[in-house]
Amino acid sequence: MSALTLAVLLSLVSAVAYAGGAILQERVAVSMPERRYAPLRRGVWWVAIALNGLGALLHVVALAYGPLSLVQPLGALTIVFALPMAALFVRRKAGATAWRGAIMATVGLAGLLSLTQSADVQSLDGAERVMVALVTAGAVVTLMVVAHAVHRHPVVRSVLLASAAGVAFGIASVFTKTVAVDLDAGIALTRQVPSLAVIAVLAGAGVLISQASYRGAGLAAPLSTVTVVNPVVAAAVGLTLFGESFRYGSAGTAVALGFGVVAAGGLILLTTERIGAAQGAAASTVQVAKGGPVAADAVAHDQQPEKRPDERAHELPAVPSQPAAGPHRRVLFRHGHGRERIGS
């Protein structure tokens, strides 16, 4: 097996692991809505964390065998894998609109990443690391505050939280690359402790925030948002601070921007589709609530099967639950061909 084939296989398995982790996270969010960030007592959640960790490990190993221009776009297949896996394992089928949005987001992200060209290996200096860490913390906190401010709109809140998680994951990847470059350059590991601490904080925050993003928004919209925002943020830092660029000059830059528009359109389509579904469900609930008990009785009556004449012949008339006032109250009812007297 060639190194390129191994890189492709590892990338595909990594995408499947990420998809499985996302499906389990969404299931935990549905079953335990009160535990928004860290449902530590649920074993399924820890399985999801393990799958995400496996996906990250396989992605790193794939980068060791294949080029970044191949491995990164294959990671976008997480969205495409997650929808059929959810339909198969948890009976959560996605509609045509969700599929269109997921495919648009995947194609746009894959095209954008495939056009990104890495520059010579370089690292961030101390001032740049502090600046990136502070800007990231400000962006994540701002997105979380806005998300909680719009808590009455669950889908918008979830997309904002997913964006915050994607930012945290993306910058954690930037610091991971910086530490790897420094270690290759012979810089002592003890000098990397602050950067390692930033990686741990951002990765942990990303996991907890992404868990909260699945509450009330389904699977496709939060997963697609995290999957797109994560590498886009990392690529943006690479373009601005690492000297990376797009292939094929100005033409490649224009095409990359086009792919970015396609990915953004897919996310918008997924978000609006989920908002429409939520509004439809809310409208149905309000309509039933306005109908009251009479509407419920009418629905129940319509659902009862028509009785045959011989069944109606043996029916008993309704007996009053409470007798009328008075010392001498006789209630007669017919049973078969005889009469019986109840009360006196």
Side-chain angles (χ1 to χ4, degrees), residues 272-336:
T272 54
E273 183 268 343
R274 189 64 191 180
I275 291 176
Q279 291 177 344
S284 300
T285 302
V286 171
Q287 186 175 5
V288 172
K290 288 182 177 179
V294 176
D297 292 341
V299 172
H301 177 73
D302 291 340
Q303 291 178 350
Q304 291 179 356
E306 183 69 19
K307 291 183 171 60
R308 298 191 306 271
D310 57 337
E311 292 177 335
R312 287 197 295 266
H314 295 285
E315 288 183 349
L316 301 179
V319 179
S321 58
Q322 294 181 354
H328 302 287
R329 169 65 178 168
R330 291 182 175 86
V331 180
L332 300 178
F333 69 95
R334 183 179 299 277
H335 179 72

Side-chain angles (χ1 to χ4, degrees), residues 125-147:
D125 57 34
E128 289 175 334
R129 298 186 193 195
V130 173
M131 179 194 69
V132 171
L134 292 177
V135 171
T136 302
V140 171
V141 171
T142 300
L143 287 170
M144 292 182 66
V145 170
V146 176

Side-chain angles (χ1 to χ4, degrees), residues 32-178:
M32 298 186 67
E34 72 281 359
R35 299 286 183 176
R36 299 182 180 180
Y37 293 98
L40 301 178
R41 296 183 178 180
R42 286 297 299 274
V44 176
W45 186 71
W46 289 107
V47 175
I49 299 302
L51 287 174
N52 286 325
L54 176 62
L57 178 62
L58 293 175
H59 181 76
V60 172
V61 176
L63 288 172
Y65 289 96
L68 183 66
S69 59
L70 174 66
V71 174
Q72 285 285 70
L74 289 175
L77 293 175
T78 298
I79 309 171
V80 177
F81 289 158
L83 296 184
M85 287 173 61
L88 179 63
F89 294 111
V90 298
R91 301 294 188 268
R92 195 68 174 270
K93 295 182 179 180
T97 304
W99 269 106
R100 285 196 296 269
I103 292 175
M104 285 178 61
T106 302
V107 172
L109 178 60
L112 180 64
L113 295 177
S114 63
L115 289 172
T116 304
Q117 184 175 0
S118 300
D120 296 335
V121 177
Q122 54 182 307
S123 179
L124 298 175
D125 57 34
E128 289 175 334
R129 298 186 193 195
V130 173
M131 179 194 69
V132 171
L134 292 177
V135 171
T136 302
V140 171
V141 171
T142 300
L143 287 170
M144 292 182 66
V145 170
V146 176
H148 286 282
V150 296
H151 64 277
R152 294 184 178 181
H153 305 280
V155 179
V156 178
R157 177 192 60 83
S158 295
V159 170
L160 289 171
L161 289 176
S163 299
V167 170
F169 284 135
I171 302 302
S173 299
V174 171
F175 274 87
T176 301
K177 179 179 180 180
T178 299

Side-chain angles (χ1 to χ4, degrees), residues 97-109 224 228 257-273:
T97 304
W99 269 106
R100 285 196 296 269
I103 292 175
M104 285 178 61
T106 302
V107 172
L109 178 60
S224 300
V228 171
L257 291 176
F259 278 121
V261 171
V262 172
L267 293 182
I268 294 173
L269 189 61
L270 285 167
T271 303
T272 54
E273 183 268 343

